[in-house]
Amino acid sequence: GLPLKSPDLLRLLEGVGDASLRSEIDQAAVVFVTDCVRGKLDVLGNSISGALDISKLSSKLFEHLLSLSSTKNLVEGSDSGGRDYTRVSILQTLFAIHSRYQSRLAQLMVKEGSVGKHASASKRKRSRSQSDVGSLNAATTSRANLLVGLVGGNAATIDPLNSGRGRTLSLSLLTCLCEESPSAVVTSLLPALMSLAGTLQTDGADQRVDTKGLGDALVAIVPAYCAHARSANLSLFSLLEDFVGRIIVPHGSSENEKWRCNMLDHLVDALKLLPTKESSSEAVASLAACVMALQAFNIQKPKTTSSNDTDSEMSDDAEHNPETRLDLRVLANTTRGIKIQVSLSLLQYAEKLMSYICGLSSFSGENSSRGNMAVDVSEVAALALRGSGKGKEDGAYSTLSEAQQRSILYLAINLLQSVRDELSTPKARNFVRKSKGDDADVCLRLWNELMQTHASTVRAKHAKLLLGMTMSSAEKRFWDAAPIATSECLESLQNLLPVPHFLASVSSILTGEEEDASHFHKKKIIKLLADRVAEVSSDSPEASLFLEMVPDLVAQVNLDPSTMAVAADGKDSSASSMRRTIVMQQGALIAIESFARSLYPSTENGKLAASAAAVFLPALASVTKLLDDTALSWIKANDGNVGNSEVSSGVADAQCQLLSSSSLCVSTLVTTLKARCLPQLPTIIKPLVKSLKSANILLLEGSNDPAASSTGELLQLSILKTLQAIAETMPQFLLPYLSLIFSNNGLPSKALRQGYEHGVEHSVRTAVAQLETALATKVQVRQLIPALGQALAKNLRPDGYESWEEACSIMNVMTIAVESSQRSVLSPVIGKIFNGLVMAYGYEGDGESTPRMLQSANKCLLSLVMKLSESQLRPLYARLREWRGNIEDAKEGSLSSSARRYAFWSLSAELSKSLRSIFLPCLTSVLTDVIDELEIAVSLLCQRTKKKTDGSKRRRVEESDSSADDMEKVKSLQPLLLCLESALKADAHEGGDWTRGDDNQRYNMILNHLGKLLLAQVPKETPLLSDLTSKEKASTSAYQQIVQGVGTLEYGNVVGCLTALAAAAGNEQLWKPLNFAVLEACGHERNEVRKAGIGCLLSIIETIGEEYMVLLPECLPVISELLEDDEDTAAMAKECVRQGEELLGESLEDSLR
């Protein structure tokens, strides 16, 4: 190409037409020259005066651009498209020049400023070039105004461009000028930004203006504006008020949502480029607050018709509306380094607004002490109340209209929720977790501000409720939502703060002297501290820092409620102060538990364990003293030793809860410190057990207050868990306390096992079972069994305190101890166990208690027998027989003898069922007793009937009832039948040798008495065990139960015993007398006897099967008669026939005729 230089191109431009460039030829010439300039751009600045020549060339191009754009030079009917094309070509060339030589032109501007500053001191005469440079500063301002006009900012004097490309070039060029000379352009920046509002409101705006170009312009313009706005008497609020108010959140507009969101993103990006982190964070926070304020202003417009719509504005349910979440878009685009500072600034806005809402402050005369990039809260409030362009707010909250109050409330809660959402982001969490130095200080400031805000919010809410102040629905929703939002903020932040800063702040709060003001702070901080330490490992570097906090917590435990309760104002201040102190102590106890679980090392050896023990042992001493004092006070209150005026029920409940908390804390410390707790053991166990006994008595007496009962049950649960921890940790040191633990109303109390209506009985029962297991398995048997024996004797003493429920509990512990012990360990204490069993078997109670006691004793006996050899079993059984006494005593009517016989045959039945054939030698030793018992039963139940003749009729007169003594004598029949039935079944399985022993004499003796019992007359008062319900018992006779086995299959009956005897006999010769006895019953006059006989025959046929069919012919005549009996009897007779036909394989119809 031609070797053209800047002066050449400048002369070409000067020679093109006049200033107006009206002809198309002149415009085409300008386009040609601009094309040449762009083509020679790389070589134009190579000369020594290149920067100045380029500046002159730029000035000339701006002159042509102004000539083409001035409304004065417009000619009606001229070619506007050609003029726009020329202007775009000029803009393109100017942008290329200023982009390519931006740094050199900026240096030229700096040089011009320096020359102008020192012109008066210079003695030299100005040259022509220096004069030209001096005019650049003023020219830059006029050029910026021209570019603002091209994008529509001054339509009266400058014709705006029609094409989006041209507007984008104008903004891009304005960006370059701003970077070259910010101070000269700053006054034009705000009008340039505001011109975007007109662009936005025009149809197709997203096509006319390139979003990226606008974004680039914002990124360059906004930082320059912020840096030089003060020199032009402007502020950041001026920018945000106009730009955000007219573009980002226009009142009532929802058009071009995507475009507006992009502009908001670019504005945030621009604010992030401010020179300091502080100014950047304040500017972004101000932007977010203004966006929220304008959103709050928009809710004032009448768009709802119900109160529910208004209330929904105070919640997060409005998140579906994109406009309401533009504030979150601002916060989401902030960098990690300023998120916390932005959150702090937003929280400070919220604090001031809530103070304004409560009437504690106003906005009048406020002078913000914050930086230049922060908007005053009065300005933010003005946006929320009146929108943009209306000045600051200086009125009181009470003077606002209902809609304006709703806007302020919405703004305040939105600020708090934005802080909450910001702290929940991963970027913010990572920043807080890794913060150091100044960043950590900012995080701590935010945390302290949150604590104060939360406390102020809660106090303000409670004050309004206590005073009964009238609140609108929006205010109610606000005061419900605000404490929740601040609490969630605290929970999000507290686990992330750097440990040293966090602990230093916690220590300063806990050691503060302001009682009323810091009460809530202390309570909240203790909870946060407990939550935070749960994440700390005992071997981490932070562990030692947390250990240093334990004395501060112990100081809270050592608070004396009685001294803190002294108050001079009001009657209830004393009790209220005491309750607050107890709540504080509870929080400290829970925190100490968390500290012990997290900070005490798992291994006992090493410096870590020693240092941790040195901290927690004094804590244990303080907690133990608190436990002792609280237990004493609470027990006295329950015993009625404290006047009703001194301690209210609320304080008593609080003391009970404190006792529970201290018990659980002791449990954790004992589990952690183990044997180191030994010096404190007496002061731990004694108040625990005494408190447990007091709680048990309280619940047994049946308190009418469900809340008090529930509190007592929780106390039971906590004490049980603590005792379990001691039993598992230091069982070898429990010997001095076993008698106290198993004393009356202690661990064996039925209050720990009875059903409650408060929903925690399952937990209490489980805790009792766990404690009993721990004691039975951990404490040495040689120590435990004597203590259990003594406790059992106290509970079963006839002349004193008697509680069979507690005795059953003690027997249960003894059973577990026996089951979990080795045989060698049990040998020295078998005598003690036997004595305990004898006491249990000797208990004489009612129909409910006696079976329960026998059941518990039988379990223990069976557990013991399972640990013994067969040779050891026989002497033990012989001792039990000796304890039972002679059968002759029963014949003489001794009631104590009857009770022992019943117990003896009950335990024999249990052994027979469990040991099976192993028990047969033991049964042999008492076989004569078996026969004697059966004889007694036969003599009492099988009396002859007396007959009398009355005219032509015969009727049978039977003795109606037996005496009560007779009933006691036959009480042992049922367990005897069960024992005999189990033994005969076991013998049948082994071949029946025992049954056929002594040349069948044993069999014949048993059969003789059992056959007679089929004909027995059983009084209805006979005490029997069965599975029948009360309603079923009323319709079932005693004969049906003890003979036929109705409901007594598991408890013993005559038919079952005869069936087992037949199975054990095993041959036809022995079956014949048995079959005769059964057939005799089948032909008896009494219907119930016939039914028992045919039922017995059916049972024998089903049990023995085909082998018994040899005796079927003898049975058929009797069966044939029974087929015509009542329905039940005939049904069993038919079943016998069916079984016989099935076994024989032939019909018996002919034989039955």
Side-chain angles (χ1 to χ4, degrees):
L2 298 173
L4 297 176
K5 298 182 180 179
S6 296
D8 301 327
L9 295 173
L10 183 61
R11 283 193 293 272
L12 289 175
L13 287 174
E14 291 174 347
V16 177
D18 57 12
S20 61
L21 292 175
R22 291 188 177 88
S23 67
E24 295 181 359
I25 297 177
D26 291 338
Q27 294 177 10
V30 171
V31 172
F32 174 76
V33 174
T34 56
D35 290 341
C36 293
V37 172
R38 292 197 301 274
K40 297 291 185 178
L41 197 60
D42 293 336
V43 299
L44 291 179
N46 291 339
S47 61
I48 298 176
S49 59
L52 185 58
D53 293 338
I54 292 174
S55 176
K56 293 177 179 180
L57 183 60
S58 172
S59 299
K60 194 62 180 178
L61 288 173
F62 271 111
E63 290 177 7
H64 286 310
L65 181 61
L66 177 60
S67 178
L68 289 168
S69 303
S70 176
T71 55
K72 296 179 181 180
N73 298 330
L74 294 180
V75 178
E76 185 176 355
S78 61
D79 183 13
S80 59
R83 188 177 73 257
D84 270 9
Y85 180 81
T86 305
R87 289 192 292 174
V88 170
S89 180
I90 296 174
L91 285 171
Q92 187 176 4
T93 303
L94 285 170
F95 180 68
I97 291 173
H98 285 269
S99 298
R100 176 67 176 80
Y101 296 104
Q102 184 179 39
S103 59
R104 296 178 66 178
L105 291 174
Q107 292 175 2
L108 187 63
M109 295 298 298
V110 172
K111 179 180 178 182
E112 183 272 338
S114 177
V115 170
K117 182 177 180 180
H118 300 287
S120 59
S122 177
K123 300 293 184 180
R124 295 175 297 172
K125 181 180 180 181
R126 284 188 163 198
S127 64
R128 175 183 172 85
S129 63
Q130 289 172 331
S131 299
D132 293 338
V133 172
S135 64
L136 291 178
N137 194 32
T140 302
T141 302
S142 62
R143 295 168 186 173
N145 293 331
L146 170 61
L147 294 175
V148 171
L150 291 177
V151 297
N154 189 10
T157 57
I158 302 297
D159 181 28
L161 290 166
N162 294 320
S163 66
R165 179 168 176 262
R167 291 172 179 256
T168 301
L169 285 171
S170 298
L171 289 174
S172 301
L173 183 56
L174 184 62
T175 301
C176 293
L177 294 181
C178 184
E179 293 174 352
E180 292 173 11
S181 180
S183 59
V185 182
V186 67
T187 55
S188 304
L189 296 181
L190 192 57
L193 293 176
M194 293 308 103
S195 66
L196 299 178
T199 302
L200 176 64
Q201 296 170 359
T202 306
D203 294 337
D206 54 341
Q207 300 177 359
R208 297 178 59 199
V209 180
D210 179 63
T211 302
K212 185 178 183 303
L214 292 175
D216 294 341
L218 283 174
V219 170
I221 291 172
V222 170
Y225 174 86
C226 293
H228 301 280
R230 175 168 290 188
S231 62
N233 199 24
L234 298 173
S235 66
L236 178 63
F237 180 69
S238 304
L239 170 64
L240 299 181
E241 181 183 27
D242 288 338
F243 188 77
V244 177
R246 295 172 58 186
I247 298 178
I248 301 303
V249 192
H251 182 73
S253 173
S254 60
E255 299 178 356
N256 302 317
E257 188 66 44
K258 182 178 179 181
W259 190 90
R260 292 192 291 116
C261 289
N262 289 334
M263 285 299 96
L264 183 62
D265 294 342
H266 290 305
L267 181 57
V268 174
D269 292 338
L271 294 176
K272 290 190 295 188
L273 296 177
L274 295 182
T276 65
K277 183 186 294 187
E278 181 179 3
S279 60
S280 178
S281 62
E282 289 181 345
V284 172
S286 298
L287 171 60
C290 290
V291 170
M292 285 184 252
L294 289 168
Q295 290 172 171
F297 173 70
N298 284 346
I299 71 171
Q300 294 186 39
K301 56 186 179 182
K303 61 180 180 180
T304 61
T305 57
S306 67
S307 59
N308 291 335
D309 295 334
T310 301
D311 292 342
S312 66
E313 294 165 355
M314 208 62 61
S315 66
D316 290 336
D317 296 338
E319 292 186 4
H320 64 277
N321 187 350
E323 179 183 323
T324 62
R325 304 320 297 164
L326 285 178
D327 55 318
L328 294 185
R329 191 178 186 94
V330 172
L331 300 176
N333 290 333
T334 57
T335 59
R336 186 182 69 173
I338 64 172
K339 280 185 176 293
I340 302 303
Q341 290 178 312
V342 170
S343 299
L344 177 59
S345 299
L346 293 178
L347 181 62
Q348 291 170 345
Y349 280 128
E351 283 182 304
K352 293 180 180 180
L353 282 175
M354 285 192 290
S355 179
Y356 172 67
I357 293 170
C358 295
L360 302 178
S361 65
S362 63
F363 298 137
S364 58
E366 179 188 353
N367 292 318
S368 177
S369 60
R370 299 166 65 184
N372 296 330
M373 292 301 105
V375 175
D376 291 344
V377 67
S378 58
E379 296 169 331
V380 175
L383 290 179
L385 295 176
R386 293 187 290 271
S388 60
K390 304 296 175 60
K392 295 185 178 182
E393 171 58 30
D394 54 4
Y397 176 79
S398 57
T399 63
L400 302 178
S401 65
E402 182 178 353
Q404 289 178 326
Q405 289 181 350
R406 188 169 64 250
S407 295
I408 290 294
L409 295 172
Y410 176 85
L411 173 59
I413 194 62
N414 210 18
L415 285 166
L416 291 175
Q417 291 173 348
S418 296
V419 175
R420 176 201 63 191
D421 297 338
E422 186 71 358
L423 293 177
S424 301
T425 60
K427 289 182 178 179
R429 295 174 68 87
N430 291 333
F431 176 81
V432 175
R433 188 179 291 112
K434 299 178 181 179
S435 60
K436 297 179 181 179
D438 294 340
D439 292 337
D441 292 339
V442 173
C443 296
L444 191 60
R445 282 181 56 201
L446 175 60
W447 187 71
N448 287 328
E449 292 275 358
L450 280 171
M451 291 289 296
Q452 296 175 7
T453 304
H454 185 58
S456 302
T457 304
V458 173
R459 283 199 297 267
K461 177 182 177 180
H462 290 170
K464 288 181 176 293
L465 294 176
L466 290 175
L467 295 176
M469 300 176 63
T470 303
M471 293 187 290
S472 64
S473 60
E475 288 177 325
K476 292 178 181 177
R477 290 291 297 261
F478 171 79
W479 290 114
D480 288 339
I484 296 175
T486 53
S487 177
E488 290 174 346
C489 290
L490 281 172
E491 292 176 2
S492 298
L493 184 60
Q494 64 97 8
N495 287 328
L496 304 173
L497 283 174
V499 171
H501 294 76
F502 173 75
L503 295 181
S505 178
V506 168
S507 180
S508 64
I509 293 175
L510 292 181
T511 57
E513 297 297 333
E514 306 176 28
E515 294 179 2
D516 294 336
S518 63
H519 169 73
F520 180 83
H521 283 136
K522 289 182 179 180
K523 184 173 67 173
K524 187 68 176 179
I525 197 64
I526 289 174
K527 181 181 182 302
L528 298 179
L529 187 62
D531 294 340
R532 183 68 180 270
V533 77
E535 300 178 357
V536 179
S537 174
S538 60
D539 56 355
S540 63
E542 295 87 358
S544 59
L545 298 177
F546 276 95
L547 284 174
E548 295 176 358
M549 295 298 303
V550 175
D552 292 338
L553 294 174
V554 173
Q556 302 301 316
V557 172
N558 292 334
L559 294 175
D560 186 359
S562 60
T563 58
M564 295 194 66
V566 176
D569 53 343
K571 297 181 180 179
D572 296 331
S573 354
S574 175
S576 176
S577 177
M578 183 178 291
R579 285 195 296 269
R580 285 200 305 268
T581 304
I582 290 175
V583 170
M584 188 73 67
Q585 289 174 318
Q586 283 185 278
L589 291 169
I590 295 173
I592 291 175
E593 283 190 75
S594 298
F595 271 65
R597 283 192 293 263
S598 300
L599 302 181
Y600 199 89
S602 56
T603 58
E604 284 295 327
N605 298 326
K607 295 181 178 179
L608 291 178
S611 59
V615 173
F616 288 116
L617 283 175
L620 176 62
S622 296
V623 175
T624 302
K625 183 178 182 302
L626 175 65
L627 173 68
D628 195 9
D629 296 341
T630 308
L632 180 62
S633 175
W634 186 73
I635 292 172
K636 285 184 178 179
N638 286 339
D639 293 341
N641 294 330
V642 179
N644 294 330
S645 60
E646 294 183 14
V647 180
S648 65
S649 60
V651 173
D653 290 341
Q655 287 178 335
C656 184
Q657 294 172 5
L658 178 61
L659 186 56
S660 300
S661 299
S662 57
S663 300
L664 293 175
C665 186
V666 167
S667 173
T668 302
L669 292 174
V670 167
T671 305
T672 301
L673 297 172
K674 296 182 174 58
R676 292 186 176 92
C677 302
L678 188 58
Q680 302 292 338
L681 199 57
T683 54
I684 293 175
I685 294 183
K686 291 180 180 179
L688 282 178
V689 178
K690 290 179 180 178
S691 300
L692 179 63
K693 295 174 70 172
S694 181
N696 292 340
I697 294 173
L698 179 66
L699 293 175
L700 286 175
E701 291 175 352
S703 174
N704 295 325
D705 185 2
S709 298
S710 178
T711 304
E713 293 159 14
L714 293 176
L715 177 59
Q716 287 178 324
L717 187 61
S718 61
I719 294 176
L720 291 172
K721 289 185 176 296
T722 306
L723 292 175
Q724 179 187 349
I726 296 173
E728 292 178 345
T729 305
M730 297 178 288
Q732 63 272 31
F733 302 106
L734 284 180
L735 177 60
Y737 315 105
L738 291 177
S739 59
L740 178 63
I741 293 174
F742 290 103
S743 60
N744 299 336
N745 292 317
L747 179 59
S749 174
K750 65 180 181 180
L752 296 170
R753 295 161 180 85
Q754 66 184 6
Y756 301 116
E757 300 178 355
H758 308 301
V760 297
E761 72 277 2
H762 177 71
S763 300
V764 173
R765 288 171 180 254
T766 302
V768 169
Q770 292 173 347
L771 175 56
E772 290 178 343
T773 302
L775 290 170
T777 56
K778 300 294 184 180
V779 179
Q780 297 180 7
V781 175
R782 60 183 177 83
Q783 297 178 346
L784 180 64
I785 295 300
L788 294 176
Q790 294 174 4
L792 193 63
K794 292 179 180 178
N795 282 280
L796 296 179
R797 188 171 54 198
D799 57 343
Y801 181 86
E802 183 176 335
S803 175
W804 65 269
E805 293 99 333
E806 295 192 6
C808 288
S809 303
I810 295 171
M811 290 302 304
N812 179 55
V813 179
M814 187 178 293
T815 302
I816 299 174
V818 172
E819 289 176 347
S820 60
S821 302
Q822 299 295 327
R823 180 184 301 178
S824 58
V825 178
L826 286 175
S827 298
V829 294
I830 288 180
K832 299 288 186 181
I833 299 174
F834 179 82
N835 292 337
L837 290 171
V838 166
M839 284 187 286
Y841 285 130
Y843 173 73
E844 299 179 18
D846 54 20
E848 178 188 3
S849 60
T850 300
R852 290 277 301 277
M853 179 60 66
L854 288 178
Q855 183 182 15
S856 299
N858 288 339
K859 286 183 179 180
C860 184
L861 174 63
L862 187 60
S863 300
L864 176 62
V865 168
M866 291 301 179
K867 298 290 182 178
L868 303 178
S869 64
E870 188 173 351
S871 60
Q872 292 175 307
L873 171 61
R874 294 177 187 176
L876 177 64
Y877 190 72
R879 291 181 64 184
L880 289 170
R881 182 191 182 189
E882 181 183 356
W883 165 80
R884 181 205 64 190
N886 296 324
I887 301 299
E888 296 298 330
D889 296 337
K891 296 179 180 180
E892 297 175 358
S894 174
L895 295 179
S896 62
S897 175
S898 298
R900 292 192 177 191
R901 286 166 46 224
Y902 180 78
F904 176 78
W905 293 118
S906 296
L907 70 90
S908 298
E910 187 70 25
L911 293 176
S912 179
K913 285 193 299 183
S914 301
L915 302 180
R916 299 180 65 80
S917 61
I918 299 176
F919 180 71
L920 291 176
C922 295
L923 185 60
T924 303
S925 65
V926 295
L927 183 60
T928 56
D929 297 338
V930 172
I931 301 303
D932 291 342
E933 291 283 2
L934 292 175
E935 285 181 355
I936 294 175
V938 169
S939 65
L940 294 175
L941 301 179
C942 299
Q943 300 174 1
R944 294 182 178 182
T945 59
K946 298 180 180 180
K947 300 179 181 179
K948 290 185 180 181
T949 304
D950 183 8
S952 61
K953 295 183 180 180
R954 299 172 59 195
R955 41 184 243 180
R956 187 178 52 177
V957 180
E958 302 176 352
E959 294 183 354
S960 59
D961 293 318
S962 300
S963 65
D965 293 345
D966 291 344
M967 294 304 97
E968 280 297 321
K969 292 177 183 179
V970 299
K971 183 179 179 181
S972 59
L973 175 61
Q974 189 178 25
L976 171 63
L977 292 173
L978 179 61
C979 173
L980 195 56
E981 180 184 350
S982 301
L984 292 172
K985 287 181 178 179
D987 183 51
H989 184 73
E990 297 293 332
D993 292 337
W994 184 86
T995 304
R996 296 188 296 270
D998 296 335
D999 195 18
N1000 298 328
Q1001 292 183 15
R1002 189 176 298 166
Y1003 172 83
N1004 292 325
M1005 286 189 296
I1006 296 174
L1007 173 61
N1008 182 37
H1009 295 88
L1010 291 179
K1012 293 178 181 179
L1013 287 174
L1014 281 175
L1015 311 178
Q1017 294 176 329
V1018 185
K1020 60 181 180 181
E1021 297 87 359
T1022 304
L1024 297 172
L1025 298 178
S1026 68
D1027 294 327
L1028 300 176
T1029 62
S1030 300
K1031 185 177 181 181
E1032 291 172 338
K1033 282 185 178 181
S1035 60
T1036 305
S1037 66
Y1039 179 88
Q1040 289 175 299
Q1041 297 180 52
I1042 191 62
V1043 178
Q1044 294 182 23
V1046 179
T1048 58
L1049 296 179
E1050 299 296 329
Y1051 298 96
N1053 58 85
V1054 175
V1055 170
C1057 197
L1058 278 171
T1059 303
L1061 181 63
N1067 60 67
E1068 180 182 353
Q1069 182 182 0
L1070 296 179
W1071 286 335
K1072 283 187 177 182
L1074 186 148
N1075 191 61
F1076 177 80
V1078 172
L1079 294 179
E1080 182 183 5
C1082 291
H1084 201 271
E1085 296 178 353
R1086 289 162 47 205
N1087 179 53
E1088 62 180 3
V1089 177
R1090 295 196 302 273
K1091 189 179 295 184
I1094 191 62
C1096 183
L1097 180 60
L1098 177 59
S1099 176
I1100 293 173
I1101 293 174
E1102 290 176 342
T1103 302
I1104 299 177
E1106 186 177 357
E1107 296 179 7
Y1108 199 76
M1109 291 298 98
V1110 295
L1111 300 177
L1112 185 60
E1114 300 178 8
C1115 303
L1116 290 178
V1118 177
I1119 295 176
S1120 177
E1121 294 180 4
L1122 294 177
L1123 289 173
E1124 299 178 0
D1125 211 319
D1126 65 81
E1127 183 179 353
D1128 294 339
T1129 305
M1132 287 189 285
K1134 290 179 182 179
E1135 180 62 20
C1136 289
V1137 174
R1138 190 192 68 78
Q1139 291 277 0
E1141 290 177 342
E1142 183 177 337
L1143 293 171
L1144 293 174
E1146 60 182 31
S1147 175
L1148 298 177
E1149 185 176 354
D1150 294 338
S1151 302
L1152 294 172
R1153 291 177 182 176

